[in-house]
Amino acid sequence: MTRVLTVRFCSPSKEQRLALEYRDVDAELHRRMLAARPHWQRVLEREIAPTHAVRRVGEHSWREPAAAAPAPAH
């Protein structure tokens, strides 16, 4: 089963909107994000974004998180 968390962002002026989907976010992590209100974005930035693939709503391909990318060779 695939779990997708959809997060909608809106600029303070309400003129710009962005919706992102994060793949395979488990229910416990989702609960922690909701419980962190009004600071839910901290959970998103620290625990979800670094470890989960993301895409804009409507896109077909996912972008893997930077943490999952192999380290560059020196």
Side-chain angles (χ1 to χ4, degrees):
M1 179 168 88
T2 301
R3 297 167 294 225
V4 177
L5 171 66
T6 302
V7 181
R8 290 180 178 88
F9 298 94
C10 190
S11 67
S13 66
K14 308 276 192 238
E15 292 179 15
Q16 295 180 350
R17 297 170 191 258
L18 173 66
L20 298 175
E21 295 176 320
Y22 292 90
R23 185 173 56 195
D24 294 328
V25 175
D26 65 45
E28 178 57 33
L29 187 51
H30 181 250
R31 279 192 288 278
R32 281 202 314 268
M33 190 178 97
L34 293 177
R37 288 181 189 161
H39 305 289
W40 61 269
Q41 282 183 292
R42 289 182 187 161
V43 175
L44 180 70
E45 292 168 357
R46 294 177 184 169
E47 299 184 48
I48 298 173
T51 58
H52 293 79
V54 64
R55 69 180 176 189
R56 283 182 175 227
V57 169
E59 287 183 348
H60 295 288
S61 61
W62 293 89
R63 292 184 307 275
E64 294 300 322
H74 292 282

